[in-house]
Amino acid sequence: MRPLAIGQRSETVRRANLSAIVRELHANGPRSRSMLVARIGLTRSAIRSLLGELLAADLVREERAALRGTPGRPSPVVRTNPEAMVVLAVEVNVDSLAAAVVGLGGEVVELVRVDRASGSASVDDTIAGVVELSRRLLADRRRRNALVGVGVAVAGVVRRRDGLVSMAPNLGWRDVPFGERLIAGLGLDVPVTIVNEADTGALAEHLRGAAVGHEHVLFVTGEVGVGGGLIVDGRPLTGVAGYGGEIGHIPVNRDGRRCGCGAIGCWETEVGEGALLVRAGRPADGGRDALDAVLDEAAAGSPVALNALEETGHWLGVGLAGLVNLLNPELVVLGGRFGRIHPYVADSIEEELDRHALAAPRALVRIVPARLGADASLLGAAEVAFEALLADPADWMRRSNRVELASA
Amino acid sequence: MRPLAIGQRSETVRRANLSAIVRELHANGPRSRSMLVARIGLTRSAIRSLLGELLAADLVREERAALRGTPGRPSPVVRTNPEAMVVLAVEVNVDSLAAAVVGLGGEVVELVRVDRASGSASVDDTIAGVVELSRRLLADRRRRNALVGVGVAVAGVVRRRDGLVSMAPNLGWRDVPFGERLIAGLGLDVPVTIVNEADTGALAEHLRGAAVGHEHVLFVTGEVGVGGGLIVDGRPLTGVAGYGGEIGHIPVNRDGRRCGCGAIGCWETEVGEGALLVRAGRPADGGRDALDAVLDEAAAGSPVALNALEETGHWLGVGLAGLVNLLNPELVVLGGRFGRIHPYVADSIEEELDRHALAAPRALVRIVPARLGADASLLGAAEVAFEALLADPADWMRRSNRVELASA
């Protein structure tokens, strides 16, 4: 139902096939030629010819290595070359900054996470912090030469086109041209893409975490705020400008509290970290240490802590019920701090789903904790940075002169 | 990010290109060869060869006809042949049944709508009613021979795979194997697909109505109940089993009324027809006549009627704010009875969006009434029935022996 159907020329087809091979190896690891034939659905000779291009460009390597579980003589396997191209992934959160160098194929080459005191999240300090991490991780010249992109996950409402942060209530930002300023600060000669951190978390859990193999996924992450990332038919739902997935700001309680966004009774005001801490008798801004303390108390059987978690679980369930009815997902993945509290809120969530969700979609959905833990959003930022390359490796080979190399 | 990348063989490409041409003509009407070259993005000779196949199979026809606005000698235009293939579209609503024969290209050949008294919506009566309409519309043998599929829109929660109606609270159905029974009743030798009526409404408004050219659309329709259809990146969001879009059952008011689905405070309990009628001092089950009366009173300036509409508009706005935050649509299309009350609720909706939606997605969204009126869901059911053919016309030509015809 696209308004403009696009026909396919043979050059387009070649590029799409190169993309299919690189994506397969990037997402699923080393493959024999036979497995590539089976997975990609092309003839053996077509795969051979395309692999020839990728090998010559040094994007992939072929090695004799036994695949697990295959007896007899090791057959050659193709794998991505993680040194040929790397991305810089960055995560900007309220109480921490993180950065990583990730190679093609998803290998984390180096990862650094630094806590920062609350109140140090100004735009200037954040940019300075990211630039410092970037210099440290890219000090090695070979890495810098292999850099193909930067992906940045931000805990805020982000315009995909230029990385404008329209609002990040928990960082205290509003209408910040973060992309523009960060690009200037980094001074790197590669594309920089800024994305909401829940969207990148969803990508990572879908590609390498709890949601592998599922095509209809809702990722719900709790940090200081609450974010959502949606996978619809196997693809991220971004909305028209990249603002999609702001589930923290669905109105759920018209008699509720005022939210950082200015509205009354947003879901975040009931399920965010602050609400849980207040229910557990602590200051709303107690942060990660206070959350750790509440979880310790709950583990020791404290009724106050357990009740606070249960109430939070009920509100989680009410919001999730609406989202289950709307999206009919097969999987809801609870990430960030929701992943940590999952054991204490799972029952309450299921109860509210029974009560509020329609029987049909309710019966098909499972609620699970995230598998990538605290690094999901950071790892997803790497995927965002790889996306242009994965979508059209031929273009990258041409621009980086690897094609000349190939024909030499 | 699909788990299995699919490579493209030349046969796959030919089929995709045939599909692109037929979709273009079906969606946008007659085109000259040059326009097809420009729109589809293939070479002139590729278009010529593919059109040859379609012409030989009689799926399209070529005529010398002046396109509007082009001076000089008429150049040949290609158009779909609406007699070569038709579909039967059916709409099952609480208070009416409708059916239409629609030709390839979207031409409505014949359309019948019959009201039915409330209480006559039993499964048996419904199937008998649809079968009778079908016999009437397909009495002509040429039509029956050209039939390629049946699409049925139902005001309920429908499993796409087999047309099981899990729940249709306003019809009073629960776990009805409607698809199976209807297929038996119709006795037609073509695929029958059952879909939620709001999903088909969204399809129709996207292809031929208010949402043409928009890729991120939320269609919200009010009949007796409330339904939603989502277009994400130009494609319908169905969810894992086809249940997606049940926006009527998002919890919005925890102190609210009990919904037909069994839960408390669903959006439908605040914005459904019953809630509006009660606010206007009428019985909740007054139906379309009562709604007409309220609209007449509002037009005459009755404060009771105007207040009832305004309050409904506020609740519409609260729910839409959450959906705008979640989906970042460029367009919200109000269909069914919401399309009729649009002039009276538009201001209240905008106010609540200002209050509850995040500034960034809020600034990008427009709320408009549907353009196809009461027939949107029926016309969308026709599109569902055409979908298999549009996705792979080559397969249809082969199975219907039109290829032999072509090579004769």
Side-chain angles (χ1 to χ4, degrees):
Chain A
M1 300 285 159
R2 302 200 160 256
L4 175 54
I6 298 294
Q8 307 199 16
R9 297 165 187 259
S10 60
E11 171 60 15
T12 319
V13 172
R14 175 183 148 263
R15 295 166 88 135
N17 287 337
L18 285 169
S19 167
I21 293 175
V22 178
R23 266 191 208 281
E24 168 70 15
L25 297 171
H26 175 69
N28 299 316
R31 294 282 190 219
S32 69
R33 291 193 172 201
S34 317
M35 284 167 81
L36 283 174
V37 167
R39 297 274 299 181
I40 309 282
L42 290 171
T43 62
R44 185 164 279 275
S45 74
I47 290 281
R48 188 186 311 123
S49 149
L50 294 163
L51 278 182
E53 290 190 56
L54 297 170
L55 285 162
D58 209 24
L59 258 178
V60 305
R61 288 184 172 169
E62 200 159 30
E63 299 168 1
R64 286 213 170 267
L67 286 176
R68 246 186 302 234
T70 54
R73 197 170 72 90
S75 70
V77 296
V78 184
R79 61 174 79 239
T80 51
N81 175 4
E83 286 155 22
M85 47 186 58
V86 300
V87 297
L88 178 68
V90 175
E91 183 189 344
V92 174
N93 224 310
V94 177
D95 51 12
S96 71
L97 283 184
V101 171
V102 178
L104 185 64
E107 187 188 312
V108 177
V109 182
E110 189 176 351
L111 188 156
V112 184
R113 184 177 289 276
V114 291
D115 287 344
R116 47 183 191 167
S118 72
S120 68
S122 76
V123 179
D124 287 343
D125 288 354
T126 299
I127 287 174
V130 172
V131 168
E132 194 196 316
L133 287 177
S134 153
R135 294 226 171 103
R136 203 160 125 193
L137 287 172
L138 297 175
D140 180 320
R141 188 193 299 179
R142 274 168 313 173
R143 270 192 205 165
R144 213 168 50 241
N145 287 342
L147 189 74
V148 296
V150 179
V152 184
V154 176
V157 180
V158 182
R159 185 162 69 192
R160 182 70 68 110
R161 173 162 56 82
D162 58 1
L164 179 97
V165 176
S166 160
M167 191 180 65
N170 300 301
L171 288 163
W173 300 1
R174 195 172 281 265
D175 292 323
V176 172
F178 183 65
E180 192 181 300
R181 294 194 51 192
L182 185 64
I183 287 168
L186 286 171
L188 294 167
D189 192 23
V190 296
V192 178
T193 310
I194 323 280
V195 183
N196 171 272
E197 48 137 22
D199 290 348
T200 65
L203 275 183
E205 290 287 341
H206 183 233
L207 196 66
R208 308 183 194 281
V212 168
H214 297 281
E215 302 290 280
H216 300 268
V217 179
L218 169 61
F219 176 73
V220 183
T221 185
E223 298 298 336
V224 173
V226 174
L230 281 60
I231 304 289
V232 169
D233 260 332
R235 307 190 313 168
L237 181 155
T238 58
V240 63
Y243 300 134
E246 285 295 335
I247 58 178
H249 303 283
I250 293 178
V252 295
N253 186 357
R254 96 169 158 158
D255 309 317
R257 277 162 283 210
R258 185 165 294 278
C259 180
C261 78
I264 297 284
C266 291
W267 198 30
E268 183 168 307
T269 65
E270 298 295 346
V271 300
E273 186 179 83
L276 172 63
L277 294 178
V278 167
R279 286 183 192 122
R282 293 171 179 274
D285 60 355
R288 226 184 308 168
D289 293 343
L291 179 69
D292 289 343
V294 172
L295 286 171
D296 287 346
E297 289 165 15
S302 149
V304 173
L306 289 169
N307 285 341
L309 285 159
E310 193 186 320
E311 168 101 16
T312 299
H314 280 292
W315 278 110
L316 270 170
V318 168
L320 287 178
L323 293 167
V324 164
N325 290 343
L326 182 69
L327 302 168
N328 184 201
E330 44 197 322
L331 207 63
V332 173
V333 178
L334 297 181
R337 291 160 204 186
F338 290 151
R340 296 187 61 205
I341 69 174
H342 175 262
Y344 297 102
V345 297
D347 288 351
S348 312
I349 290 174
E350 300 287 344
E351 272 174 43
E352 292 295 343
L353 288 180
D354 287 343
R355 200 170 295 154
H356 283 289
L358 297 169
R362 194 266 171 275
L364 296 177
V365 72
R366 286 186 307 123
I367 316 288
V368 300
R371 197 179 291 160
L372 302 176
D375 292 328
S377 292
L378 182 64
L379 297 176
E383 298 306 332
V384 169
F386 274 124
E387 184 51 33
L389 168 80
L390 294 173
D392 193 355
D395 181 59
W396 177 85
M397 292 192 287
R398 190 183 50 72
R399 282 190 296 112
S400 63
N401 293 321
R402 303 252 174 169
V403 172
E404 277 73 3
L405 200 74
S407 53
Chain B
M1 300 286 158
R2 303 201 159 254
L4 176 55
I6 299 294
Q8 307 200 16
R9 298 165 187 261
S10 60
E11 171 60 15
T12 319
V13 171
R14 175 184 147 262
R15 294 165 88 134
N17 287 337
L18 284 169
S19 167
I21 293 175
V22 178
R23 268 193 206 281
E24 167 70 16
L25 297 171
H26 175 68
N28 298 317
R31 295 283 189 216
S32 69
R33 291 194 172 201
S34 318
M35 283 167 85
L36 283 174
V37 167
R39 296 274 299 180
I40 310 279
L42 290 170
T43 62
R44 184 163 280 274
S45 74
I47 290 281
R48 187 185 311 122
S49 150
L50 294 162
L51 278 181
E53 290 189 56
L54 297 170
L55 286 162
D58 209 25
L59 258 177
V60 305
R61 287 183 173 172
E62 201 159 31
E63 299 168 0
R64 289 218 165 263
L67 288 175
R68 244 187 303 235
T70 54
R73 195 171 74 89
S75 69
V77 296
V78 184
R79 60 175 78 238
T80 50
N81 175 2
E83 285 155 22
M85 47 186 57
V86 301
V87 296
L88 178 68
V90 175
E91 183 189 344
V92 174
N93 224 312
V94 176
D95 51 13
S96 70
L97 283 183
V101 171
V102 178
L104 185 64
E107 186 187 315
V108 177
V109 181
E110 190 176 351
L111 188 157
V112 184
R113 182 177 291 275
V114 290
D115 286 343
R116 48 184 191 167
S118 71
S120 67
S122 77
V123 179
D124 288 343
D125 288 354
T126 299
I127 288 174
V130 172
V131 168
E132 194 196 314
L133 287 178
S134 154
R135 294 225 171 102
R136 201 160 125 197
L137 287 173
L138 297 175
D140 179 320
R141 188 194 299 182
R142 274 168 312 173
R143 269 192 205 168
R144 213 167 51 242
N145 287 342
L147 190 72
V148 296
V150 180
V152 184
V154 176
V157 180
V158 182
R159 184 160 71 191
R160 182 70 69 111
R161 173 162 57 82
D162 58 1
L164 178 97
V165 176
S166 161
M167 191 180 67
N170 300 304
L171 289 163
W173 299 2
R174 195 172 282 265
D175 291 324
V176 173
F178 183 65
E180 193 181 300
R181 295 193 52 192
L182 184 63
I183 287 168
L186 286 171
L188 294 167
D189 192 23
V190 295
V192 178
T193 309
I194 324 280
V195 183
N196 170 271
E197 49 138 20
D199 290 348
T200 64
L203 275 183
E205 289 288 341
H206 183 233
L207 196 66
R208 307 182 194 281
V212 168
H214 296 281
E215 301 291 280
H216 300 269
V217 179
L218 170 60
F219 177 72
V220 184
T221 183
E223 298 298 335
V224 173
V226 174
L230 280 59
I231 304 289
V232 169
D233 259 333
R235 308 190 312 169
L237 181 154
T238 59
V240 64
Y243 300 135
E246 284 296 335
I247 57 177
H249 303 283
I250 293 179
V252 295
N253 187 358
R254 95 170 160 160
D255 309 316
R257 277 161 281 208
R258 186 165 292 280
C259 180
C261 78
I264 299 283
C266 292
W267 197 31
E268 181 168 309
T269 65
E270 299 295 347
V271 301
E273 184 179 86
L276 172 63
L277 294 178
V278 168
R279 286 185 191 121
R282 294 171 179 272
D285 61 357
R288 224 181 312 167
D289 293 343
L291 180 69
D292 289 344
V294 172
L295 286 172
D296 287 346
E297 288 164 15
S302 149
V304 172
L306 288 169
N307 285 340
L309 286 159
E310 191 185 323
E311 168 103 15
T312 299
H314 280 292
W315 278 108
L316 270 171
V318 169
L320 287 178
L323 293 166
V324 164
N325 290 343
L326 182 68
L327 302 169
N328 184 201
E330 43 198 322
L331 205 66
V332 173
V333 178
L334 297 181
R337 290 160 205 186
F338 291 150
R340 296 187 60 205
I341 68 174
H342 175 262
Y344 297 102
V345 296
D347 288 350
S348 312
I349 291 174
E350 301 286 345
E351 271 173 42
E352 292 296 343
L353 288 179
D354 287 342
R355 200 171 292 154
H356 282 289
L358 296 169
R362 195 266 172 275
L364 297 177
V365 72
R366 286 186 307 124
I367 317 288
V368 300
R371 198 179 291 160
L372 302 176
D375 291 328
S377 292
L378 181 64
L379 297 177
E383 298 305 332
V384 169
F386 274 123
E387 183 51 32
L389 167 80
L390 294 174
D392 193 356
D395 181 59
W396 177 84
M397 290 192 288
R398 189 183 52 74
R399 284 189 295 112
S400 63
N401 293 322
R402 303 254 174 167
V403 171
E404 277 75 2
L405 199 76
S407 54

